[in-house]
Every structure is written in C-alpha cells, then in structure tokens.
C-alpha cells in the first residue's frame, strides 16, 4: 500500500435511496448498488486516507468555472422518506489551496469558494448530496463509523461547459498535489449515469440513455478511461448524465498515478443509471 499520495479512488453514485434511512419504499430496489457502495466503503477504510477529495456535480455551481472549496469546515443534512442523515467534516484547506494555485498556473478556470468567516467554525460550506451520500458509505455515518481517524475533505465542483481536457488536467494536478502534500489521499468521482431511462422520470425517456450507460460500463470494464474523451457530445446531451465530467477528473488522476479499475455494479433502479467502480494504485507496495 502506498504510504502517501493518491492511495485509492472510486466512482460512486449519489442516489439518496441508497442510504437505508432515506430509502423508504425503495430499500430493496437499490440493494445491488447499496451492496457495492458498502464494498467501496470497506476498501476506502482499508486505504485509510488522511484526506478524501470529492468531485461532485451538485455543490456550488459556477458558470464557466471549477469551484474548489477552501473553507475550514463542511456539513450537511439530508431528509427524505421520513428519514434524516447528517455529516460534518473538517476540510483540508492546505491541499485545496495548493490544488487551486497549481490549477491557476495552468490557466484552468478555477475559483476558490468560501462561505461565512475566513477561518474557524463559521468558515463553512454546505455539504451537498453528491458528496454526502458517497461519504456516508465511506464511514461518515455516526452509527457506522469505520474510521479510526476521520479524514479531512476537499470538495471540488467542475463546470460542464469548460473544455473536457481541462478536467483531465485538473485530475493530474490533484494527484500531483496529493503526492506533494505527503499525506494519503483518496478521490471520489461522485457520478450518476444517464437520467433519461424512464418516460415517467423527470427527464423523460431517450434511447440515448441505454447507449450512454452501455458505453460507460464498457469503458470501466476495459479499464480505458481515455475513451471518455471520444464520447459523442450529442449522445451525452440526450442521455442527460451527471457522470462524464467527474470521471474525466478521475481519468486525469490515473495518468499521474497508474491505477487498476474494477467494475463492481451497474443498475437502473428508477430513471437514472448507477455504476460503482474502484481504483487501486497498480504498485500497491510502493
């Protein structure tokens, strides 16, 4: 196992019904993906990162920019189907600022995001569901705490309108700064797949959804994330995913730290696709 730098990564969905307390009548419907998320959580615990970088599509969204959260804390609450979960983390502000500075040096459209006070307990940004749900399975829930020492968090929100190559560069920067910080860092690409699988869903039905998700499964199964750059933009637009951009950041990280990918699960429990995959450094003994 690597002693520092990027030690683990995963693709993790963020449907709220995955969490039993929020599942309501959908508990059994999401069982396959929930089991895979629990496996990701076990692998994350074994990697024991000091910091988890979460690339989420549902946090602060800035036009034509990538936001990198530089607050001291983040916390959030989710309530659904009569249930409630909450989580709080200290942010790895130093790593976030180093990622921000290197990204600026590469002329990436990045913005540091603060809310409240400049520092201290009131320096806090809301933890969105795209981050909270994967983190819940990685040990955030108080009743199933699996961390001996709770990791810090870096939250990053990519914009979908910037060049895809910029997201790959961002991933490389995250991996480089993880190595330079001397800490063990994990990366979560929070990603639900196509959202147009069902006619009665909020985005309606489009046959592109099945085609997009089939392509994503093949890309992950063949461990060839470079093919993300070859996806037809019209297919992506019609399928309505929120996965491509975060997965490109993961791809960039794997260019700096070679990682072996493994597809754990795929299903369409409602109107959107859900895929779980884990990535471990190729040279675990390094």
């Amino acid at each position: 196992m690597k002693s520092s730098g990027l030690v683990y990564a995963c693709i993790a969905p963020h449907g709220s019904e995955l969490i039993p307390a929020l599942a309501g009548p959908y508990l059994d419907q999401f069982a396959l993906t929930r089991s895979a998320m629990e496996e990701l959580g076990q692998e994350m615990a074994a990697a024991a990162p000091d910091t988890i970088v979460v690339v989420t599509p549902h946090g602060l969204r800035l036009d034509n920019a990538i936001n990198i959260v530089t607050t001291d804390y983040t916390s959030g609450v989710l309530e659904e189907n009569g249930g409630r979960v909450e989580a709080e983390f200290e942010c790895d502000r130093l790593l976030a600022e180093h990622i921000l500075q290197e990204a600026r040096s590469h002329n990436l459209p990045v913005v540091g995001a603060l809310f409240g006070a400049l520092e201290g307990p009131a320096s806090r940004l809301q933890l969105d569901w795209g981050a909270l749900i994967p983190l819940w399975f990685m040990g955030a829930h108080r009743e199933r705490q699996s961390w001996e020492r709770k990791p810090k968090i870096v939250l990053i929100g990519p914009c979908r309108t910037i060049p895809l190559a910029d997201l790959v560069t961002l991933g490389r920067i995250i991996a480089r700064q993880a190595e330079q910080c001397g800490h063990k860092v994990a990366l979560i690409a929070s990603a639900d797949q196509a959202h147009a699988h069902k006619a009665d869903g909020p985005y309606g039905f489009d046959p592109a959804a099945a085609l997009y998700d089939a392509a994503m499964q093949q890309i992950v199964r063949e461990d060839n994330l470079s093919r993300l750059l070859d996806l037809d933009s019209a297919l992506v637009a019609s399928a309505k995913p929120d996965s491509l951009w975060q997965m490109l950041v993961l791809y960039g990280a794997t260019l700096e730290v070679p990682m072996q990918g493994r597809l754990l699960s795929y299903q369409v429990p409602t109107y959107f696709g859900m895929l779980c995959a884990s990535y471990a450094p190729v040279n675990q003994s390094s």
Side-chain angles (χ1 to χ4, degrees), residues 21-282:
L22 304 180
Y26 299 100
L27 183 67
D28 293 339
Q29 207 163 324
F30 282 72
L32 176 66
T33 303
R34 185 179 303 115
S35 177
M37 290 287 278
E38 290 171 350
E39 185 173 351
L40 291 179
Q42 293 167 3
E43 294 178 355
M44 180 71 79
D50 301 302
T51 299
I52 301 176
V53 177
V54 186
V55 188
T56 170
H58 296 306
L60 181 65
R61 305 178 77 159
L62 304 176
D63 287 344
N64 301 312
I66 302 163
N67 84 77
I68 300 176
V69 175
T70 57
T71 56
D72 281 336
Y73 296 93
T74 181
S75 57
V77 175
L78 289 177
E79 294 181 313
E80 195 164 335
N81 292 316
R84 173 188 170 97
V85 297
E86 59 184 308
E88 178 180 13
F89 291 89
E90 183 179 353
C91 296
D92 189 338
R93 191 167 187 171
L94 183 61
L95 177 58
E97 290 177 345
H98 284 182
I99 293 170
L100 180 64
Q101 293 306 317
E102 184 177 350
R104 284 174 174 162
S105 74
H106 285 78
N107 296 315
L108 297 188
V110 291
V111 176
L114 280 166
F115 187 83
L118 291 176
E119 59 184 21
S123 175
R124 184 182 301 267
L125 196 72
Q126 181 175 336
L127 186 66
D128 68 279
W129 72 92
L132 195 160
I133 291 167
L135 288 170
W136 191 92
F137 284 93
M138 306 304 159
H141 197 272
R142 293 174 181 173
E143 295 178 359
R144 56 194 302 275
Q145 179 60 257
S146 61
W147 292 313
E148 292 184 7
R149 183 168 57 85
K150 194 173 185 179
K152 295 183 179 181
I153 297 297
V154 173
L155 296 175
I156 296 177
C159 176
R160 301 182 182 186
T161 60
I162 67 173
L164 300 182
D166 284 353
L167 298 173
V168 178
T169 300
L170 176 63
R172 301 189 77 136
I173 290 169
I174 292 169
R176 283 199 294 266
Q177 289 301 325
E179 186 67 37
Q180 292 181 26
C181 78
H183 294 161
K184 297 169 70 176
V185 176
L187 173 64
I188 297 176
S190 176
D192 285 338
Q193 303 301 322
H195 281 57
H197 283 282
K198 303 290 185 182
D200 58 355
Y203 303 97
F205 172 78
D206 196 299
L211 296 175
Y212 176 91
D213 282 10
M216 283 299 190
Q217 291 176 75
Q218 185 176 10
I219 286 170
V220 174
R221 189 177 289 112
E222 295 178 355
D223 208 6
N224 189 8
L225 292 175
S226 66
R227 288 184 52 210
L228 293 169
L229 293 168
D230 300 328
L231 290 172
D232 182 74
S233 59
L235 174 69
V236 175
S238 297
K240 296 180 173 57
D242 64 15
S243 58
L244 174 61
W245 305 269
Q246 300 83 256
M247 289 173 64
L248 282 167
V249 176
L250 170 61
Y251 168 52
T254 66
L255 294 177
E256 290 292 320
V257 178
M259 306 186 89
Q260 180 71 47
R262 183 169 63 96
L263 178 66
L264 273 64
S265 69
Y266 170 78
Q267 71 169 148
V268 186
T270 54
Y271 63 90
F272 59 95
M274 309 180 84
L275 181 154
C276 294
S278 66
Y279 289 80
V282 172

